[in-house]
Amino acid sequence: MAESGINYEAVFRELPGMVALLTPELVYADVNEEFMRQSGRTRQQLVGRYLFDVFPDNPGDPAATGARNLKASLRRVLTTGERDTMALQRYDVESPERPGEWEERYWSPVNAPIIGTDGRVELLVHRVEEVTELIRARGGPEGSRARVLEAELYTRARELQEVNERLREAHAREREVALALQEAMLPAPGPVGHHRAAVRYRPAVGSLNVCGDWYDLVDLPGDRIGIAVGDVVGHGLQAAGVMGLLRSALSAASRVAAGPAQALEVLGLYARSIEGAENTTAVETYVDWDTNTLTYSSAGHPPPALLRIDGSVEFLDQATDPPLGARPEHGARPQATAAFTEGDTLVLYTDGLIERRREDIDTGLSRLADALSRHRAADPERLADILLYELLPTGGAMDDTALVIVRL
């Protein structure tokens, strides 16, 4: 019994529609009573078995595509972490009482993910509407009209499925173009004096939140550099275009501004004139080796991490303001300073590195701090690879990740 007093296991079993839980390997983890009744299978015939061993396509029908289409839908949900509603499917089902005899069935499936704390899909909810009786109504004066309706519905469902496939192909092409544009606008940085730096960019899985993150390093007068990372709301070509504009504007502003706060003020004013730039987050840090100080300002972005040579981690969170364009009126942004020691390491990143669905951001920050402390002896290049390996979900993150590491 849950703390709320609701027995969710009992609720699941008594749901009026067909519902099954599948593992990421597409093995039945559980089924409700209606699923067993409508499918004609017992719990022992379902739970623990691979879905397409239980319900394969009819081998006697070369045109059968129900299993193939369902597998493609489930794979999309695993890849994107998004719900997928399928068109009406004709799915012949082998009779459990008469092996080798197939029954014509019509199912309308919806597949949805259950996301774990690590951002990966833990389970799939597979819900099926059984509409065979509606589609295959026979006998009586309405029989011929029902068969015509069946044919029309099935044709429209196939047409809809083909349209969805073309849309997915178009989205995939857009993703490829956007990523190519992103790569062109985020080249590997040149040397930053005698200081060691590493940069990384990892796109999100699927099309979700792709191409909105950026990083930048600029040389400043004296023994100083400016480091920035940012995150545009949105994805695809539009986000990549907005990202390029904002990155270039901040790079230029950083070279003439009195400090990072002023650079972000200028960027905020510029962002108001660009469609899609609202609520962009960014953080700018000036590193001054003459004074061993870091000066920073944040526009709603996760705080940079300062890894001390003793393994302790300090998050630079004393100068945080709303994202770009989030305030109705322009105002001065805050700025703060922190001292560093030679050998410390500065880490700037975007939220894809630390944020997970249904998890407090402090958990992600603690995870980052722990990884930094354990690997404090690694050089920036190796540390960057370690952080991506340890902190990003195995199947890929649901958001972009940009990362800059500088040994101070």
Side-chain angles (χ1 to χ4, degrees), residues 215-247:
Y215 58 79
D216 195 31
L217 291 90
V218 297
D219 287 315
L220 300 174
D223 194 4
R224 298 189 303 152
I225 62 170
I227 310 168
V229 294
D231 185 357
V232 174
V233 176
H235 62 270
L237 283 171
Q238 182 183 15
V242 172
M243 178 279 296
L245 292 172
L246 295 182
R247 175 181 176 270

PDB file of all heavy atoms in Angstrom, residues 215-247:
ATOM      1  N   TYR A 215      29.713  27.182 -26.306  1.00  0.00           N
ATOM      2  CA  TYR A 215      30.810  27.582 -25.430  1.00  0.00           C
ATOM      3  C   TYR A 215      31.681  28.574 -26.202  1.00  0.00           C
ATOM      4  O   TYR A 215      31.609  28.659 -27.433  1.00  0.00           O
ATOM      5  CB  TYR A 215      31.646  26.379 -24.986  1.00  0.00           C
ATOM      6  CG  TYR A 215      32.244  25.598 -26.133  1.00  0.00           C
ATOM      7  CD1 TYR A 215      33.388  26.042 -26.804  1.00  0.00           C
ATOM      8  CD2 TYR A 215      31.654  24.409 -26.561  1.00  0.00           C
ATOM      9  CE1 TYR A 215      33.921  25.334 -27.872  1.00  0.00           C
ATOM     10  CE2 TYR A 215      32.176  23.693 -27.625  1.00  0.00           C
ATOM     11  CZ  TYR A 215      33.313  24.158 -28.273  1.00  0.00           C
ATOM     12  OH  TYR A 215      33.828  23.468 -29.328  1.00  0.00           O
ATOM     13  N   ASP A 216      32.492  29.318 -25.469  1.00  0.00           N
ATOM     14  CA  ASP A 216      33.390  30.276 -26.122  1.00  0.00           C
ATOM     15  C   ASP A 216      34.538  30.611 -25.178  1.00  0.00           C
ATOM     16  O   ASP A 216      34.358  30.662 -23.958  1.00  0.00           O
ATOM     17  CB  ASP A 216      32.636  31.556 -26.495  1.00  0.00           C
ATOM     18  CG  ASP A 216      33.402  32.413 -27.483  1.00  0.00           C
ATOM     19  OD1 ASP A 216      34.142  31.840 -28.305  1.00  0.00           O
ATOM     20  OD2 ASP A 216      33.250  33.649 -27.460  1.00  0.00           O
ATOM     21  N   LEU A 217      35.732  30.783 -25.757  1.00  0.00           N
ATOM     22  CA  LEU A 217      36.899  31.258 -25.014  1.00  0.00           C
ATOM     23  C   LEU A 217      37.516  32.399 -25.811  1.00  0.00           C
ATOM     24  O   LEU A 217      37.735  32.270 -27.023  1.00  0.00           O
ATOM     25  CB  LEU A 217      37.948  30.152 -24.825  1.00  0.00           C
ATOM     26  CG  LEU A 217      37.588  28.990 -23.903  1.00  0.00           C
ATOM     27  CD1 LEU A 217      36.909  27.873 -24.694  1.00  0.00           C
ATOM     28  CD2 LEU A 217      38.835  28.439 -23.213  1.00  0.00           C
ATOM     29  N   VAL A 218      37.765  33.518 -25.148  1.00  0.00           N
ATOM     30  CA  VAL A 218      38.338  34.679 -25.850  1.00  0.00           C
ATOM     31  C   VAL A 218      39.533  35.201 -25.066  1.00  0.00           C
ATOM     32  O   VAL A 218      39.549  35.196 -23.827  1.00  0.00           O
ATOM     33  CB  VAL A 218      37.292  35.800 -26.022  1.00  0.00           C
ATOM     34  CG1 VAL A 218      36.139  35.330 -26.879  1.00  0.00           C
ATOM     35  CG2 VAL A 218      36.781  36.302 -24.677  1.00  0.00           C
ATOM     36  N   ASP A 219      40.554  35.637 -25.792  1.00  0.00           N
ATOM     37  CA  ASP A 219      41.703  36.289 -25.167  1.00  0.00           C
ATOM     38  C   ASP A 219      41.335  37.714 -24.803  1.00  0.00           C
ATOM     39  O   ASP A 219      40.689  38.430 -25.583  1.00  0.00           O
ATOM     40  CB  ASP A 219      42.900  36.285 -26.122  1.00  0.00           C
ATOM     41  CG  ASP A 219      43.528  34.912 -26.256  1.00  0.00           C
ATOM     42  OD1 ASP A 219      43.716  34.252 -25.216  1.00  0.00           O
ATOM     43  OD2 ASP A 219      43.818  34.503 -27.391  1.00  0.00           O
ATOM     44  N   LEU A 220      41.780  38.166 -23.618  1.00  0.00           N
ATOM     45  CA  LEU A 220      41.547  39.525 -23.146  1.00  0.00           C
ATOM     46  C   LEU A 220      42.885  40.193 -22.867  1.00  0.00           C
ATOM     47  O   LEU A 220      43.911  39.507 -22.719  1.00  0.00           O
ATOM     48  CB  LEU A 220      40.693  39.495 -21.871  1.00  0.00           C
ATOM     49  CG  LEU A 220      39.302  38.858 -21.998  1.00  0.00           C
ATOM     50  CD1 LEU A 220      38.632  38.756 -20.628  1.00  0.00           C
ATOM     51  CD2 LEU A 220      38.425  39.640 -22.964  1.00  0.00           C
ATOM     52  N   PRO A 221      42.914  41.521 -22.806  1.00  0.00           N
ATOM     53  CA  PRO A 221      44.179  42.211 -22.515  1.00  0.00           C
ATOM     54  C   PRO A 221      44.806  41.718 -21.217  1.00  0.00           C
ATOM     55  O   PRO A 221      44.117  41.388 -20.253  1.00  0.00           O
ATOM     56  CB  PRO A 221      43.750  43.677 -22.409  1.00  0.00           C
ATOM     57  CG  PRO A 221      42.505  43.775 -23.231  1.00  0.00           C
ATOM     58  CD  PRO A 221      41.809  42.464 -23.036  1.00  0.00           C
ATOM     59  N   GLY A 222      46.157  41.677 -21.189  1.00  0.00           N
ATOM     60  CA  GLY A 222      46.866  41.154 -20.031  1.00  0.00           C
ATOM     61  C   GLY A 222      46.819  39.629 -20.051  1.00  0.00           C
ATOM     62  O   GLY A 222      46.444  39.003 -21.038  1.00  0.00           O
ATOM     63  N   ASP A 223      47.164  39.030 -18.938  1.00  0.00           N
ATOM     64  CA  ASP A 223      47.125  37.574 -18.848  1.00  0.00           C
ATOM     65  C   ASP A 223      45.727  37.168 -18.386  1.00  0.00           C
ATOM     66  O   ASP A 223      45.520  36.692 -17.272  1.00  0.00           O
ATOM     67  CB  ASP A 223      48.191  37.079 -17.860  1.00  0.00           C
ATOM     68  CG  ASP A 223      48.435  35.573 -17.989  1.00  0.00           C
ATOM     69  OD1 ASP A 223      47.823  34.953 -18.887  1.00  0.00           O
ATOM     70  OD2 ASP A 223      49.205  35.028 -17.184  1.00  0.00           O
ATOM     71  N   ARG A 224      44.742  37.386 -19.296  1.00  0.00           N
ATOM     72  CA  ARG A 224      43.344  37.114 -18.959  1.00  0.00           C
ATOM     73  C   ARG A 224      42.650  36.420 -20.123  1.00  0.00           C
ATOM     74  O   ARG A 224      43.023  36.592 -21.281  1.00  0.00           O
ATOM     75  CB  ARG A 224      42.581  38.410 -18.660  1.00  0.00           C
ATOM     76  CG  ARG A 224      43.093  39.208 -17.472  1.00  0.00           C
ATOM     77  CD  ARG A 224      42.118  40.338 -17.164  1.00  0.00           C
ATOM     78  NE  ARG A 224      41.911  41.195 -18.329  1.00  0.00           N
ATOM     79  CZ  ARG A 224      40.793  41.899 -18.564  1.00  0.00           C
ATOM     80  NH1 ARG A 224      39.782  41.832 -17.711  1.00  0.00           N
ATOM     81  NH2 ARG A 224      40.696  42.664 -19.622  1.00  0.00           N
ATOM     82  N   ILE A 225      41.626  35.662 -19.801  1.00  0.00           N
ATOM     83  CA  ILE A 225      40.744  35.094 -20.821  1.00  0.00           C
ATOM     84  C   ILE A 225      39.305  35.196 -20.327  1.00  0.00           C
ATOM     85  O   ILE A 225      39.047  35.298 -19.117  1.00  0.00           O
ATOM     86  CB  ILE A 225      41.063  33.626 -21.155  1.00  0.00           C
ATOM     87  CG1 ILE A 225      40.869  32.732 -19.925  1.00  0.00           C
ATOM     88  CG2 ILE A 225      42.453  33.462 -21.717  1.00  0.00           C
ATOM     89  CD1 ILE A 225      40.933  31.247 -20.244  1.00  0.00           C
ATOM     90  N   GLY A 226      38.369  35.188 -21.264  1.00  0.00           N
ATOM     91  CA  GLY A 226      36.952  35.119 -20.943  1.00  0.00           C
ATOM     92  C   GLY A 226      36.417  33.763 -21.374  1.00  0.00           C
ATOM     93  O   GLY A 226      36.731  33.285 -22.468  1.00  0.00           O
ATOM     94  N   ILE A 227      35.646  33.138 -20.521  1.00  0.00           N
ATOM     95  CA  ILE A 227      35.063  31.822 -20.820  1.00  0.00           C
ATOM     96  C   ILE A 227      33.558  31.929 -20.633  1.00  0.00           C
ATOM     97  O   ILE A 227      33.085  32.460 -19.628  1.00  0.00           O
ATOM     98  CB  ILE A 227      35.604  30.740 -19.873  1.00  0.00           C
ATOM     99  CG1 ILE A 227      37.129  30.771 -19.819  1.00  0.00           C
ATOM    100  CG2 ILE A 227      35.112  29.359 -20.299  1.00  0.00           C
ATOM    101  CD1 ILE A 227      37.698  29.928 -18.699  1.00  0.00           C
ATOM    102  N   ALA A 228      32.804  31.420 -21.594  1.00  0.00           N
ATOM    103  CA  ALA A 228      31.346  31.484 -21.511  1.00  0.00           C
ATOM    104  C   ALA A 228      30.736  30.181 -21.991  1.00  0.00           C
ATOM    105  O   ALA A 228      31.278  29.507 -22.863  1.00  0.00           O
ATOM    106  CB  ALA A 228      30.813  32.649 -22.339  1.00  0.00           C
ATOM    107  N   VAL A 229      29.607  29.832 -21.413  1.00  0.00           N
ATOM    108  CA  VAL A 229      28.759  28.771 -21.939  1.00  0.00           C
ATOM    109  C   VAL A 229      27.328  29.286 -21.891  1.00  0.00           C
ATOM    110  O   VAL A 229      26.983  30.148 -21.076  1.00  0.00           O
ATOM    111  CB  VAL A 229      28.871  27.446 -21.150  1.00  0.00           C
ATOM    112  CG1 VAL A 229      30.249  26.842 -21.287  1.00  0.00           C
ATOM    113  CG2 VAL A 229      28.514  27.643 -19.690  1.00  0.00           C
ATOM    114  N   GLY A 230      26.488  28.773 -22.790  1.00  0.00           N
ATOM    115  CA  GLY A 230      25.101  29.220 -22.828  1.00  0.00           C
ATOM    116  C   GLY A 230      24.190  28.136 -23.353  1.00  0.00           C
ATOM    117  O   GLY A 230      24.636  27.135 -23.922  1.00  0.00           O
ATOM    118  N   ASP A 231      22.892  28.360 -23.197  1.00  0.00           N
ATOM    119  CA  ASP A 231      21.892  27.349 -23.565  1.00  0.00           C
ATOM    120  C   ASP A 231      20.637  28.055 -24.070  1.00  0.00           C
ATOM    121  O   ASP A 231      19.950  28.751 -23.325  1.00  0.00           O
ATOM    122  CB  ASP A 231      21.558  26.498 -22.332  1.00  0.00           C
ATOM    123  CG  ASP A 231      20.626  25.342 -22.657  1.00  0.00           C
ATOM    124  OD1 ASP A 231      20.190  25.236 -23.815  1.00  0.00           O
ATOM    125  OD2 ASP A 231      20.337  24.559 -21.745  1.00  0.00           O
ATOM    126  N   VAL A 232      20.360  27.874 -25.375  1.00  0.00           N
ATOM    127  CA  VAL A 232      19.177  28.458 -25.998  1.00  0.00           C
ATOM    128  C   VAL A 232      17.997  27.509 -25.819  1.00  0.00           C
ATOM    129  O   VAL A 232      18.138  26.298 -25.997  1.00  0.00           O
ATOM    130  CB  VAL A 232      19.425  28.712 -27.503  1.00  0.00           C
ATOM    131  CG1 VAL A 232      18.145  29.175 -28.192  1.00  0.00           C
ATOM    132  CG2 VAL A 232      20.532  29.739 -27.693  1.00  0.00           C
ATOM    133  N   VAL A 233      16.835  28.048 -25.470  1.00  0.00           N
ATOM    134  CA  VAL A 233      15.630  27.246 -25.396  1.00  0.00           C
ATOM    135  C   VAL A 233      15.234  26.821 -26.809  1.00  0.00           C
ATOM    136  O   VAL A 233      15.301  27.606 -27.747  1.00  0.00           O
ATOM    137  CB  VAL A 233      14.484  28.032 -24.741  1.00  0.00           C
ATOM    138  CG1 VAL A 233      13.189  27.224 -24.763  1.00  0.00           C
ATOM    139  CG2 VAL A 233      14.845  28.406 -23.312  1.00  0.00           C
ATOM    140  N   GLY A 234      14.832  25.578 -26.981  1.00  0.00           N
ATOM    141  CA  GLY A 234      14.439  25.109 -28.304  1.00  0.00           C
ATOM    142  C   GLY A 234      15.432  24.115 -28.851  1.00  0.00           C
ATOM    143  O   GLY A 234      16.387  23.713 -28.185  1.00  0.00           O
ATOM    144  N   HIS A 235      15.205  23.705 -30.114  1.00  0.00           N
ATOM    145  CA  HIS A 235      16.084  22.712 -30.716  1.00  0.00           C
ATOM    146  C   HIS A 235      16.060  22.852 -32.228  1.00  0.00           C
ATOM    147  O   HIS A 235      15.255  23.594 -32.793  1.00  0.00           O
ATOM    148  CB  HIS A 235      15.648  21.290 -30.317  1.00  0.00           C
ATOM    149  CG  HIS A 235      14.278  20.930 -30.785  1.00  0.00           C
ATOM    150  ND1 HIS A 235      13.158  21.170 -30.034  1.00  0.00           N
ATOM    151  CD2 HIS A 235      13.837  20.371 -31.936  1.00  0.00           C
ATOM    152  CE1 HIS A 235      12.090  20.760 -30.689  1.00  0.00           C
ATOM    153  NE2 HIS A 235      12.468  20.276 -31.855  1.00  0.00           N
ATOM    154  N   GLY A 236      16.971  22.167 -32.871  1.00  0.00           N
ATOM    155  CA  GLY A 236      16.992  22.137 -34.324  1.00  0.00           C
ATOM    156  C   GLY A 236      17.660  23.350 -34.935  1.00  0.00           C
ATOM    157  O   GLY A 236      18.448  24.059 -34.302  1.00  0.00           O
ATOM    158  N   LEU A 237      17.334  23.614 -36.215  1.00  0.00           N
ATOM    159  CA  LEU A 237      17.995  24.679 -36.963  1.00  0.00           C
ATOM    160  C   LEU A 237      17.777  26.046 -36.337  1.00  0.00           C
ATOM    161  O   LEU A 237      18.689  26.875 -36.306  1.00  0.00           O
ATOM    162  CB  LEU A 237      17.480  24.682 -38.405  1.00  0.00           C
ATOM    163  CG  LEU A 237      18.053  23.598 -39.322  1.00  0.00           C
ATOM    164  CD1 LEU A 237      17.312  23.581 -40.636  1.00  0.00           C
ATOM    165  CD2 LEU A 237      19.542  23.841 -39.548  1.00  0.00           C
ATOM    166  N   GLN A 238      16.564  26.313 -35.846  1.00  0.00           N
ATOM    167  CA  GLN A 238      16.315  27.620 -35.244  1.00  0.00           C
ATOM    168  C   GLN A 238      17.208  27.842 -34.030  1.00  0.00           C
ATOM    169  O   GLN A 238      17.814  28.905 -33.878  1.00  0.00           O
ATOM    170  CB  GLN A 238      14.855  27.778 -34.843  1.00  0.00           C
ATOM    171  CG  GLN A 238      14.556  29.166 -34.247  1.00  0.00           C
ATOM    172  CD  GLN A 238      13.129  29.304 -33.774  1.00  0.00           C
ATOM    173  OE1 GLN A 238      12.413  28.310 -33.627  1.00  0.00           O
ATOM    174  NE2 GLN A 238      12.695  30.521 -33.524  1.00  0.00           N
ATOM    175  N   ALA A 239      17.295  26.830 -33.163  1.00  0.00           N
ATOM    176  CA  ALA A 239      18.140  26.967 -31.975  1.00  0.00           C
ATOM    177  C   ALA A 239      19.605  27.137 -32.367  1.00  0.00           C
ATOM    178  O   ALA A 239      20.333  27.923 -31.755  1.00  0.00           O
ATOM    179  CB  ALA A 239      17.972  25.749 -31.065  1.00  0.00           C
ATOM    180  N   ALA A 240      20.056  26.403 -33.387  1.00  0.00           N
ATOM    181  CA  ALA A 240      21.445  26.535 -33.834  1.00  0.00           C
ATOM    182  C   ALA A 240      21.711  27.939 -34.361  1.00  0.00           C
ATOM    183  O   ALA A 240      22.773  28.525 -34.104  1.00  0.00           O
ATOM    184  CB  ALA A 240      21.744  25.492 -34.910  1.00  0.00           C
ATOM    185  N   GLY A 241      20.753  28.495 -35.111  1.00  0.00           N
ATOM    186  CA  GLY A 241      20.922  29.852 -35.623  1.00  0.00           C
ATOM    187  C   GLY A 241      20.966  30.888 -34.520  1.00  0.00           C
ATOM    188  O   GLY A 241      21.823  31.783 -34.520  1.00  0.00           O
ATOM    189  N   VAL A 242      20.048  30.774 -33.565  1.00  0.00           N
ATOM    190  CA  VAL A 242      20.036  31.707 -32.434  1.00  0.00           C
ATOM    191  C   VAL A 242      21.316  31.560 -31.617  1.00  0.00           C
ATOM    192  O   VAL A 242      21.928  32.554 -31.190  1.00  0.00           O
ATOM    193  CB  VAL A 242      18.795  31.462 -31.549  1.00  0.00           C
ATOM    194  CG1 VAL A 242      18.871  32.301 -30.270  1.00  0.00           C
ATOM    195  CG2 VAL A 242      17.529  31.794 -32.322  1.00  0.00           C
ATOM    196  N   MET A 243      21.730  30.328 -31.409  1.00  0.00           N
ATOM    197  CA  MET A 243      22.973  30.078 -30.677  1.00  0.00           C
ATOM    198  C   MET A 243      24.141  30.797 -31.330  1.00  0.00           C
ATOM    199  O   MET A 243      24.957  31.442 -30.655  1.00  0.00           O
ATOM    200  CB  MET A 243      23.241  28.575 -30.615  1.00  0.00           C
ATOM    201  CG  MET A 243      24.537  28.175 -29.927  1.00  0.00           C
ATOM    202  SD  MET A 243      26.029  28.287 -30.964  1.00  0.00           S
ATOM    203  CE  MET A 243      25.650  27.060 -32.208  1.00  0.00           C
ATOM    204  N   GLY A 244      24.255  30.697 -32.671  1.00  0.00           N
ATOM    205  CA  GLY A 244      25.368  31.333 -33.370  1.00  0.00           C
ATOM    206  C   GLY A 244      25.368  32.841 -33.200  1.00  0.00           C
ATOM    207  O   GLY A 244      26.424  33.455 -32.990  1.00  0.00           O
ATOM    208  N   LEU A 245      24.181  33.447 -33.259  1.00  0.00           N
ATOM    209  CA  LEU A 245      24.082  34.901 -33.094  1.00  0.00           C
ATOM    210  C   LEU A 245      24.495  35.330 -31.688  1.00  0.00           C
ATOM    211  O   LEU A 245      25.268  36.289 -31.514  1.00  0.00           O
ATOM    212  CB  LEU A 245      22.658  35.358 -33.386  1.00  0.00           C
ATOM    213  CG  LEU A 245      22.178  35.247 -34.839  1.00  0.00           C
ATOM    214  CD1 LEU A 245      20.685  35.546 -34.933  1.00  0.00           C
ATOM    215  CD2 LEU A 245      22.969  36.197 -35.734  1.00  0.00           C
ATOM    216  N   LEU A 246      23.979  34.629 -30.678  1.00  0.00           N
ATOM    217  CA  LEU A 246      24.280  35.012 -29.297  1.00  0.00           C
ATOM    218  C   LEU A 246      25.742  34.750 -28.946  1.00  0.00           C
ATOM    219  O   LEU A 246      26.378  35.563 -28.254  1.00  0.00           O
ATOM    220  CB  LEU A 246      23.367  34.253 -28.333  1.00  0.00           C
ATOM    221  CG  LEU A 246      21.871  34.570 -28.431  1.00  0.00           C
ATOM    222  CD1 LEU A 246      21.098  33.772 -27.391  1.00  0.00           C
ATOM    223  CD2 LEU A 246      21.611  36.060 -28.257  1.00  0.00           C
ATOM    224  N   ARG A 247      26.279  33.653 -29.402  1.00  0.00           N
ATOM    225  CA  ARG A 247      27.689  33.348 -29.127  1.00  0.00           C
ATOM    226  C   ARG A 247      28.590  34.427 -29.718  1.00  0.00           C
ATOM    227  O   ARG A 247      29.520  34.914 -29.054  1.00  0.00           O
ATOM    228  CB  ARG A 247      28.055  31.978 -29.696  1.00  0.00           C
ATOM    229  CG  ARG A 247      29.539  31.635 -29.564  1.00  0.00           C
ATOM    230  CD  ARG A 247      29.832  30.275 -30.173  1.00  0.00           C
ATOM    231  NE  ARG A 247      31.259  29.990 -30.141  1.00  0.00           N
ATOM    232  CZ  ARG A 247      32.104  30.306 -31.102  1.00  0.00           C
ATOM    233  NH1 ARG A 247      31.662  30.951 -32.178  1.00  0.00           N
ATOM    234  NH2 ARG A 247      33.380  30.007 -31.001  1.00  0.00           N
TER     235      ARG A 247
END
